[in-house]
Amino acid sequence: MELSVDGRPVFAATGGPDFDPTIPTLVFVHGAGFDRTTWQLQTRYFAHHGFGVLAVDLPGHGRSEGPALPSVEAIADWLAALLDAAGARAASLVGHSMGALAVMACAARHPTRVESVALLGVAERMPVHPELLEAASNNDAHAIDLLIGWSFGAEAHRGGHPNPGTWMTGTGWRMQQRMAPGVLHTDLQACDAFDEGAVLASKMTCPVLFLMGGLDKMTPPAGARALIDAVADSTVQILSNAGHMMMIEQPIETRRIIAAFLADR
């Protein structure tokens, strides 16, 4: 589905059916350097189970025109504009990593537009290792090696996806390769500069799901403690054998947890 947000073309996957803004809207927001295909094993399910789905390519990612947005707050405001472009009054938001920060900021800054939030692989702070930032600033392929190496849990590096033949780390590598030069660095800088996690979490008035990987090296579950404590209505789930990319590593369980959370609401 193609939309126009702030005068620039944007692409979002709908999971198959045409997007219908008259039914509950569910927006999926990817992390740094990735795109909508991160969610391909979740979007189709929800699109056929009562939701109008938008798995969006953020500006500069996938099929959406750039430039990449320079801050978490800018992405948050862009998400509100996306809802306007799609004709949706409000939505439930699902975000991963950088996308989780943006979803949290959107819920805090635009509370009437957000009905519930699922935060995957999130932490109060997401400082980026200097070596990774430097490699990304030089558009060095080593940045992708570092990011993929840290993002996927140990089991994902060995295989074991429920869909036989799926190469999880290779899939992540190809997503990163598709990014235009400079996009990954912009994303990582936005994560590194973000320092208002607990403040924004305290401003969220909607129900919040925290879904974390027990083997996550980038955002270990302990890093979300301050956010969880600041949220009035929270649900916490940990996938013990998943790393940072739980929606790819354990797609069925990730989908099940999100679906149960939304059903309770």
Side-chain angles (χ1 to χ4, degrees):
M1 176 181 183
E2 292 187 354
L3 299 165
S4 178
V5 181
D6 297 333
R8 296 182 182 275
V10 167
F11 188 83
T14 65
D18 291 339
F19 176 73
D20 182 357
T22 67
I23 62 177
T25 298
L26 183 59
V27 178
F28 290 89
V29 187
H30 60 78
F34 288 95
D35 60 37
R36 71 191 183 282
T37 58
T38 300
W39 305 103
Q40 62 184 347
L41 296 179
Q42 288 81 38
T43 51
R44 185 169 179 81
Y45 173 86
F46 286 103
H48 287 84
H49 287 80
F51 290 91
V53 170
L54 295 172
V56 66
D57 284 335
L58 292 174
H61 301 72
R63 293 171 58 182
S64 292
E65 183 177 301
L69 298 172
S71 70
V72 167
E73 293 79 7
I75 300 172
D77 294 341
W78 183 90
L79 290 172
L82 173 76
L83 296 182
D84 290 336
R89 180 192 61 81
S92 293
L93 307 180
V94 181
H96 173 250
S97 196
M98 179 185 74
L101 297 180
V103 160
M104 179 171 62
C106 185
R109 294 162 71 92
H110 306 277
T112 63
R113 310 301 303 276
V114 181
E115 296 172 335
S116 63
V117 163
L119 306 176
L120 282 64
V122 72
E124 180 188 12
R125 290 292 315 279
M126 290 190 189
V128 179
H129 195 284
E131 183 180 350
L132 176 54
L133 269 177
E134 181 180 2
S137 71
N138 296 325
N139 297 307
D140 187 340
H142 183 50
I144 300 178
D145 291 336
L146 291 172
L147 189 65
I148 298 303
W150 291 333
S151 292
F152 286 88
E155 292 190 14
H157 282 273
R158 293 191 292 267
H161 194 272
N163 184 16
T166 297
W167 183 18
M168 288 180 277
T169 55
T171 297
W173 222 95
R174 288 295 295 132
M175 280 191 237
Q176 293 287 331
Q177 280 186 315
R178 290 199 295 261
M179 293 299 105
V183 169
L184 179 58
H185 185 245
T186 298
D187 288 352
L188 295 177
Q189 279 190 314
C191 292
D192 192 59
F194 183 76
D195 63 357
E196 296 187 356
V199 173
L200 291 177
S202 68
K203 295 180 179 179
M204 289 194 292
T205 57
C206 63
V208 180
L209 167 67
F210 291 89
L211 178 54
M212 295 164 287
L215 303 179
D216 191 339
K217 298 177 182 178
M218 301 190 78
T219 55
R225 187 75 261 167
L227 301 179
I228 296 168
D229 291 343
V231 172
D233 182 1
S234 66
T235 300
V236 181
Q237 296 276 359
I238 298 178
L239 293 172
S240 58
N241 292 322
H244 191 59
M245 301 299 294
M246 71 280 293
M247 76 290 288
I248 295 176
E249 297 176 53
Q250 295 189 18
I252 297 172
E253 191 65 9
T254 296
R255 185 200 71 197
R256 184 194 67 77
I257 292 171
I258 295 172
F261 169 73
L262 294 173
D264 287 343
R265 269 71 201 170

